Every structure is written in C-alpha cells, then in structure tokens.
Amino acid sequence: MNTLFEREHEYFFHTYKRLPLDVDRGEGVYLFTKDGKRYIDFFGGLAVNALGHAHPKVLQAINEQAKRYIHLSNYYVQESQVELAERLITTSGFKRIFLSNSGTEAVEGAIKLARKWGAPQGKRELLGLTNSFHGRTMGALSLTERQKYREGYEPFLQYTSHIPFNDVDALRRTVGPHTLGVILEFIQGEGGIFVVSDAFAKELVSLREKFGFLIIADEIQAGIGRTGRFFGYEHFGVLPDIIVVAKAIGGGLPLGGFLGNERVADVLSYGAHGTTFGGNPVACAAGVVVFDEIVKGGLMQHAARIGEYLKGEGEVLRKEFPAVIKEVRGHGCMLGIDLHSDAQPVVDALQERGILANCTNSTVIRLLPPLTIQRSHVDELMTNLRAIIAK
C-alpha cells in the first residue's frame, strides 16, 4: 500500500510543499509524530493555534455545541455567534461585525463594504502596500503586492494599486479625493514581519482626516492578542474604520470576520452580503473560549511578556552573530529573525532538532508560537539556534 505522502501527492493539486512529518496528535505547545518524536511548535498553525493544541476548554466547547447543533444557516439567531460578536464589539469599540469562514473571505467582505460606502461619494480607489499579503481570492489578491502570489492570475480588480511600504512621500503622492481606502497589515506577516513605521502611521491618519478615505486594518495574523495587545494596530496609535480578523479567533476551526465603525455601520442592508457557513456555531463556541482565555485569562499579557523575552534573546543572538542575523522584528508572539542568507536550511535544522518554525520571504525565520509558550521553550529554541548558526 502506498504511504500517506504518496497518496497525498497522487490526489491533491500540488499547491502545498508539505513538511515530511506524519503528525499523530498535538498537546499544548507540542506536536507528536507517529514515530514517537516530539516537536515544540513555534509554527503555531500559522498563528491559528493561539491556545496550543487540544486545549481542554476548547474541546469541551466544541463538544457541547456540536451536541446541540452543528449548522443551522444564518436565517437563525445563534447563541454562540452573538456571544462571540458581543465580545469582539465590546473590546474593539466598533459598531458592527460580519462573520465569515476565513481571512480571505473577510477581506472580500471588507472590500464590498468599503465600495458600497464609497460609491455615492465617487470614491473607488483601493490601495494596498508593497510586500503585503491579504489572501488568495481575487479581491484580496488584487490588494496583495507580492508577485509570487499574483503571477498568472491577471487581470485584477480595477481601481486597485499599491504604495511602497513605509514610504511617506509616496503615500502623500498617491492618496487623494478619489481614494476609497487603504488596507494594510500594521505588522506584515507573510512578508517577513516588517513593522509599519510611526511616521507612516501618523501620516496615514492625517491624510484620512484630509481626504476622508477608510483605513482597513488586516489583523488576520496579528490580531486576537498575539502581539501583546488585542489588535496589532494598537501599537501605532491608529484607529481604523474596518478591521479584518481570522486565524486564532476560531480556536482551530474555520472562522473569520470584519468589523466596521460608525462610518460604515449602516452601509449593508438585508441581502447585501451573506454566507452559508460563515460564523459556524461550533467555531464560534470555540472562539468564545479563545477570547476569554486571551482577554480574561491573562494570555494577552503573557504574550507581551514572553514576546519581550523571546525578542530579547533573539537580539542577544544577533549581537553574537551579526554576520548571520540581520535583524529581529515584531511584537509579542509574532516575531521574525531576518538572516543575511536563506533561512530555510536553518528552519530545516531546527526541525531535525525537534523545533518547528517557518521560513518566509526567503531570509526570515517566522515565529508564531501558541501564546501559552514558556521561557523554557524559548531557551530551548535559542540554544538550538545558536548551535546551528555556530556550525
């Protein structure tokens, strides 16, 4: 009989370069393969597993909700949806929310919301930033600038373009009366954990006051407490008009959403947008647990503290090996260690030593651990990273 990897290769489109690990189970911050090996998971399901693996309260919430009902459709008011929405609205201070299945769907919804808001005013130009990533569907891809994701999918949405990342002069030159909105990751994830400058953020707010466009914050990866604050934009003194969320909010189940402030709160009417599966009640029940553990259970504060320790230890390593490590960037449990050369061999070597991390943008070791990570796990990462680099 063919192996699992051979069967996967036969049946699936070859869109994923799978890791050579046959995972049996996850427990806390660890993954275990079928051959009995244990790995510390600094990969974190790409920022999804904020509470780690098999969190007992998440499992309990999923089980209890599944026993009641798994799906009704959005013709029905559903308790777990409302409970989660209430928490997100109260914490964010926004006015309305729409729940989707994923981040890219949430971006598509945010585009629709923005366009419907801007149409009566003649505003139609949506701007993204270079080095950005907002998703794989056509609207999100139109606002994503990285060419490796765009090649061959042209043409993209009309009236979309990109501003060079952190280029304040280009921002001033590009926006104007016809600008509908600017979408940005305040901490770019897939792009390599690049952080928006204070000068760029300040100018963006100033230009919004002048021209009246919308600021759309893509918090899919940075949001829900990962950076030590509930949303990544909170580090920059900016209050957006629309927020896009996903990844961690579903506790490992598919869930996303977009939130709007009072400027856009009354734009969407009955039937103007919708989804069959979005806001699934089981995912929302898991999301309520995630929210409560992060906000009420102190994990957000822990993410700030352990992230500061992780970044500090990374800086120690950078000073020790300046010819290898260029920069350590990010906030909380969303950090990138940028090398002067290809990071994949280092990530592969970490994997051989029982530590899972991610290589992004060629030279960056991306760290997105569960927010439950402890100093002992950071120390083990750094001990192994030091040994690999020193070779």
Side-chain angles (χ1 to χ4, degrees):
M1 185 176 180
N2 291 339
T3 68
L4 183 66
F5 293 95
E6 289 168 338
R7 289 155 63 200
E8 185 275 340
H9 187 79
E10 179 181 355
Y11 300 136
F12 285 84
F13 284 107
H14 299 162
T15 55
Y16 301 113
K17 188 176 181 181
R18 311 281 192 177
L19 296 175
L21 304 175
D22 192 354
V23 177
D24 179 57
R25 73 186 194 280
E27 182 180 320
V29 300
Y30 298 105
L31 283 177
F32 298 85
T33 50
K34 290 180 181 176
D35 59 5
K37 190 166 183 180
R38 187 185 77 172
Y39 295 84
I40 303 176
D41 187 10
F42 277 88
F43 202 108
L46 289 178
V48 169
N49 299 322
L51 303 190
H53 300 278
H55 191 283
K57 291 183 181 179
V58 172
L59 296 179
Q60 181 182 357
I62 289 171
N63 184 51
E64 290 178 356
Q65 178 58 53
K67 286 180 179 178
R68 296 178 63 200
Y69 51 85
I70 293 174
H71 175 79
L72 293 179
S73 93
N74 282 305
Y75 276 99
Y76 297 88
V77 173
Q78 298 162 66
E79 185 178 4
S80 61
Q81 280 189 353
V82 176
E83 289 286 341
L84 181 59
E86 186 175 44
R87 284 164 168 79
L88 292 171
I89 291 293
T90 301
T91 297
S92 67
F94 277 51
K95 297 289 288 185
R96 296 282 188 272
I97 188 170
F98 182 95
L99 294 173
S100 65
N101 300 285
S102 66
T104 195
E105 288 179 55
V107 171
E108 297 290 336
I111 292 170
K112 290 175 69 176
L113 175 63
R115 284 201 159 174
K116 202 165 183 66
W117 172 84
Q121 308 169 62
K123 293 180 178 292
R124 58 189 184 185
E125 185 180 30
L126 277 169
L127 303 169
L129 302 186
T130 58
N131 200 48
S132 60
F133 181 81
H134 299 292
R136 307 268 187 174
T137 49
M138 287 305 294
L141 204 55
S142 298
L143 294 166
T144 293
E145 186 271 342
R146 300 188 71 201
Q147 289 306 306
K148 76 178 215 177
Y149 300 115
R150 291 165 60 91
E151 186 178 354
Y153 296 117
E154 303 86 350
F156 296 106
L157 290 185
Q158 284 185 302
Y159 311 117
T160 57
S161 59
H162 303 91
I163 303 166
F165 184 74
N166 274 345
D167 189 329
V168 175
D169 290 335
L171 176 64
R172 292 192 190 108
R173 290 194 305 269
T174 306
V175 302
H178 297 294
T179 301
L180 169 58
V182 177
I183 184 170
L184 70 161
E185 307 155 273
F186 283 85
I187 306 170
Q188 292 186 330
E190 183 71 13
I193 317 296
F194 284 96
V195 179
V196 163
S197 69
D198 291 336
F200 190 92
K202 183 178 179 181
E203 188 64 19
L204 183 64
V205 171
S206 176
L207 290 168
R208 176 179 60 179
E209 293 174 0
K210 181 177 181 180
F211 295 115
F213 56 79
L214 301 172
I215 296 176
I216 305 170
D218 182 338
E219 292 287 331
I220 291 168
Q221 192 167 136
I224 322 300
R226 174 156 295 278
T227 68
R229 300 186 185 180
F230 195 72
F231 291 117
Y233 66 76
E234 294 175 36
H235 293 278
F236 304 91
V238 178
L239 189 59
D241 302 289
I242 300 172
I243 309 170
V244 182
V245 297
K247 289 195 180 285
I249 194 55
L253 296 178
L255 187 62
F258 59 90
L259 297 88
N261 66 10
E262 62 282 348
R263 296 181 70 193
V264 297
D266 298 321
V267 169
L268 298 179
S269 56
Y270 295 118
H273 191 50
T275 172
T276 298
F277 292 106
N280 173 268
V282 181
C284 286
V288 168
V289 172
V290 170
F291 181 97
D292 287 350
E293 290 296 301
I294 288 174
V295 176
K296 301 176 183 179
L299 270 184
M300 186 162 64
Q301 290 78 12
H302 176 72
R305 290 192 299 270
I306 198 68
E308 185 177 359
Y309 180 69
L310 177 57
K311 190 173 185 179
E313 292 300 294
E315 281 292 338
V316 170
L317 209 59
R318 182 189 66 79
K319 292 174 183 176
E320 190 175 341
F321 300 99
V324 178
I325 299 176
K326 183 192 305 182
E327 189 179 12
V328 180
R329 300 186 294 266
H331 291 279
C333 290
M334 184 177 179
L335 292 178
I337 300 175
D338 197 352
L339 308 184
H340 289 286
S341 59
D342 185 10
Q344 190 61 55
V346 177
V347 168
D348 292 342
L350 283 170
Q351 181 181 303
E352 291 174 4
R353 290 166 171 262
I355 297 172
L356 300 176
N358 171 245
C359 172
T360 192
N361 205 11
S362 300
T363 62
V364 180
I365 302 169
R366 178 168 48 164
L367 304 173
L368 300 166
L371 309 191
T372 54
I373 209 88
Q374 301 297 321
R375 282 194 174 207
S376 60
H377 305 120
V378 174
D379 292 343
E380 189 166 345
L381 167 68
M382 292 300 166
T383 296
N384 282 278
L385 194 54
R386 179 175 282 105
I388 293 165
I389 292 172
K391 281 187 176 180

